Amino acid sequence: MKPDSSKLSSAVRLALSIGAAAIAGVARSAEGPTATGNAEQLAQTFETIVVTGSNIRRVDTETANPVITIERAAIERSGKVTLGDLVQDLPAVTGPYTNPRVNVGGGTGASTVSLRGLGADRTLILVNGHRYLYGDVNAIPAAAIERIEVLTDGASSVYGSDAIGGVVNFILRTNYQGAEFAANYGISDRDDGQRVGYHFVFGQSTDKGSILAGVDYNKFESILASNREFSKNAVYYYYGTAQVNGGVRATPAGFIQLPEQLRKQFGCPFAATLKTLGQISNPPRLEDFRCFHPATDLYNFQSLALELTPQERSSLFVVGNYKLTDHVEAYAEYFHNKTQSAWQISPSQINTFGGGMVISAQSYYNPFGVDYSADSFIFRTRSLGNGNRIGNYSTQVDQATAGFKGEFDDGSWQWNAYFNYGHANALYHTSGYIDVSRLGPGLGPSYKDAAGNIVCGTDPVVGGTGPIAGCTPFDLFDVLDPGTVAALDAASGNKFTNTVYVERSVVAEANGSVWSLPAGAAQLAVGVSYRKESGQTIPDALQVQLDICNTSTDCVPPTVPIRGAFDVREAYAELLIPLLKDLPFASALNLTVGDRYSKYSNFGNTNNTKFAIEYRPVDDLLLRGTVSAVFRAPTISDLYAGNSAGGGSAIDPCFGLVGTNAACVGVPGDGSFQPVPDPITGMTTNGVAAINKGAIPAGSPIGPEIGKSFDWGFVYDPRGLPGLSVGADLWRVYLDNVVGRLSLQSILDLCYLENGGPYCHLIHRYTVLGDLHAQLQYVVDPIGNLGRIDVKGTDLNAHYRLPATALGNFALNFQATYLDRFANDPAPGLPGDVVQEYAGHYTNLFSASNSANYSRWKALANVNWNLGAWRAAWTLRYIGKFKVGYARLDYNESACDNGLNGPPGCELKYGGSVYHNITAGYDLEQFNTRIDAGIDNLGDKSPPVIYMGNTANGNVDANTFDTIGRFYWARVTVKF
């Protein structure tokens, strides 16, 4: 850190600590996040509104739909500058989601939302009730948001595809008068992860209309893994022992397998390495090398990774409306976001194993006298002189909506018609990867000619063929040599991929009273829409040709161009029927029925219905229940996906085979086939990391995911205790025909158990390579409608605004979610199918870089206080205990290095984690200025170490837990 930055950060840290201690306050605002149980927030206006989860306008804010509302005051006082940081704290968000803490498998700067643990693809994101085409909620400018409504119930009958786990609706600010400027600064307790930002908002409102415009900017500096104790080393868990400096054998000094004679000469059990990196003779001599010692020579690749990826966001937004007549209004909404982000990992591995590279025994630079290739001796190194592997993203998102709305029939009916357009453009640039197949004859044979030049080819003086034109030999045993660096650069190069996604939709809808009943007027909402989605991935020529598969853990297959589109026509109707009102034991009883018909160009039609009941036996108590059909249409990526890297791990069912089986072609049937022992540790490899070499052909038929969503709950607002609201909901979602890649284990098991069948052709084994003969080489894992998911749990919430006191106003908020079940059935009805239970577990079955934590309990609580110009808050976020790995052997997921170097059935247990955030603020009314400051992760709590192999991100679950540590921030807001 530069000296001036260090002084500034120290001053900020001191000021914030003193302010926090003096006020003893905490994290979010007195307003919440809260459930909509506090009807006083909106219903006092007696104005009909549309609450997320329904298209019907109502006075009630407590309905059959379980909705959590986060008001603007809560957003401001949290200190969060991106919406993902705020929404991901909610207990209902769990499972597979990403954020900027994720480096491996991330780096896009994106934060996604996974309600009910069902993944971002099954959580619908809306902006002002309109579909948002891009999953990154960080791209939505926080300064433009009035409130956030989170529906924790399936809503396909209301919104169509994707609304399975729930809906997150970002409501834009309107009718703002004046101008506002805010600047913020933050930095971690370790003087890194610096954050700077500002926003400017201007608004003007009249009787005829209003306009709001603004800019929003924020920038986060990266945090190196080496700057955190828990992530500075690669830590593995082998056979019940944590290996702190685990690392890998692909080290810059080299891992060089020795022939038997040289092993004896060196006194080595297996391999040699350079004595001193960067110090080597020309040509290299045996004296330059020594034995490779696993305890000291493994390469710590982890120290060069990131615990927070760099991000820079710039946003522009405009929201306006204008009354054309007393009954017709025109409106428009637009926002633009540009995000620059990146990831970083250690220099590329270079490996003769499986990569098509040969270091000739006759190379001028090879002192060992043997070939190093996939068919002979092992050689591994790392391109240290060429720098780290880096991926840079430049992402632009534009979302625009324009339309007309109005009323008729004396205001009893409202109508709305609009056009919605979304465009996302992501340019992805990678550097630092080496394609060993392009290294060519520079690795030998080579010799020194009569003029003293080192040339490619064989020496004609001893009967060779002479030099090879256009070839320059280089010394791969010295990765810092300029000639070697140049050769590796030539085999690398910068590679670009451009992804474009466009969504267009036209919507017309109306709602109003249809007939009067004794209990009130029945309300109807109807609508029609047309939507077209199109997308393409355009790799450059190098990306199309690239096939870097040095090892199963360092593989980048060719990028296949993707292009596809589909359209959908939909119609919906939703009817609210008041059945009873103001009767004994029936203060109110309402029934809502809804249906949406969707016709897709790529798979046909689907119909999704909803039934919801609201019952108030007394005014204080609401009992509610909803049953609805849900579905998710396959995306363009699902339909047209090409190759992808890395398929995970699996246990080969052919080990110890006696006899024959179609899954084991080429495997000896005498029981002698066994896993290959690790040449260094001697440990038996119980599994194999297989490589995905492709997907199903483009355009192959994939149908929608279909299922049901259930929610039963209550909200209690006792009149005798004003300001108190408590509630609970029991919920369940099940989903059939789940779209995904069939797991490697399932493919192997299905082929083996059926002794043939449609999955056997996906398995490929080595036919040569000595000890590797018949071992798994790669497995093609296709995309299709493959499985079933069943998930259920309970939501709890309580909110209490205490009566005013001389010491100020206090409010308490509490939310919690208990995950009772998350069952994944990858191949229902097929032989060998095993239903795996994720509840209470962290799993990397989705891949170590796209893991998921399904802790049974997650909770969020805050205490809020204000007195005059002062306000403060204290927030506690709880993540419950969880397990890594499974004791059950048939789950094939072990915590001991994911089963690759440890026994199956290895299970680790972890306790719960509590994070404390505090904030405090003061209004300088005479200057129209507000000062806020806070400390996130007050206790500087480190994430639990779950070990490499279970995760690809710094030994920890970076998706779920904080990797930054104690973080100080301050903001100044001036209003004009």
Side-chain angles (χ1 to χ4, degrees), residues 528-721:
V528 294
S529 68
Y530 171 80
R531 185 174 80 253
K532 181 171 184 178
E533 300 184 21
S534 59
Q536 58 181 340
T537 298
I538 311 168
D540 63 19
L542 283 176
Q543 284 286 80
V544 174
Q545 299 169 6
L546 184 65
D547 190 4
I548 305 172
C549 287
N550 303 326
T551 71
S552 59
T553 57
D554 186 20
C555 182
V556 179
T559 300
V560 176
I562 299 172
R563 182 188 297 269
F566 65 84
D567 59 66
V568 54
R569 293 168 170 82
E570 296 183 290
Y572 76 83
E574 187 178 3
L575 178 65
L576 169 65
I577 306 172
L579 301 175
L580 300 174
K581 188 174 183 179
D582 298 332
L583 297 175
F585 305 107
S587 176
L589 177 63
N590 299 322
L591 173 67
T592 301
V593 294
D595 183 73
R596 176 178 285 260
Y597 173 81
S598 307
K599 184 175 182 180
Y600 281 78
S601 61
N602 53 321
F603 67 78
N605 62 279
T606 178
N607 210 70
N608 293 273
T609 57
K610 165 189 173 181
F611 296 90
I613 193 79
E614 304 163 23
Y615 173 50
R616 288 187 180 272
V618 293
D619 289 341
D620 299 359
L621 178 63
L622 169 65
L623 304 177
R624 62 191 181 192
T626 302
V627 178
S628 59
V630 293
F631 82 103
R632 182 179 80 90
T635 65
I636 289 174
S637 296
D638 292 333
L639 294 167
Y640 305 100
N643 297 351
S644 65
S649 63
I651 306 299
D652 191 346
C654 298
F655 290 154
L657 173 74
V658 176
T660 60
N661 190 290
C664 311
V665 175
V667 172
D670 57 3
S672 62
F673 182 62
Q674 294 296 328
V676 178
D678 187 289
I680 290 296
T681 65
M683 297 177 183
T684 300
T685 302
N686 291 320
V688 60
I691 299 169
N692 170 267
K693 283 281 188 176
I696 59 173
S700 293
I702 300 178
E705 302 174 340
I706 55 175
K708 286 283 182 67
S709 171
F710 306 86
D711 187 276
W712 306 97
F714 75 89
V715 179
Y716 181 51
D717 302 308
R719 291 185 180 181
L721 200 56

Side-chain angles (χ1 to χ4, degrees), residues 872-883:
W874 170 27
T875 295
L876 298 89
R877 181 169 70 100
Y878 175 73
I879 302 167
K881 62 183 181 180
F882 63 97
K883 299 176 183 178

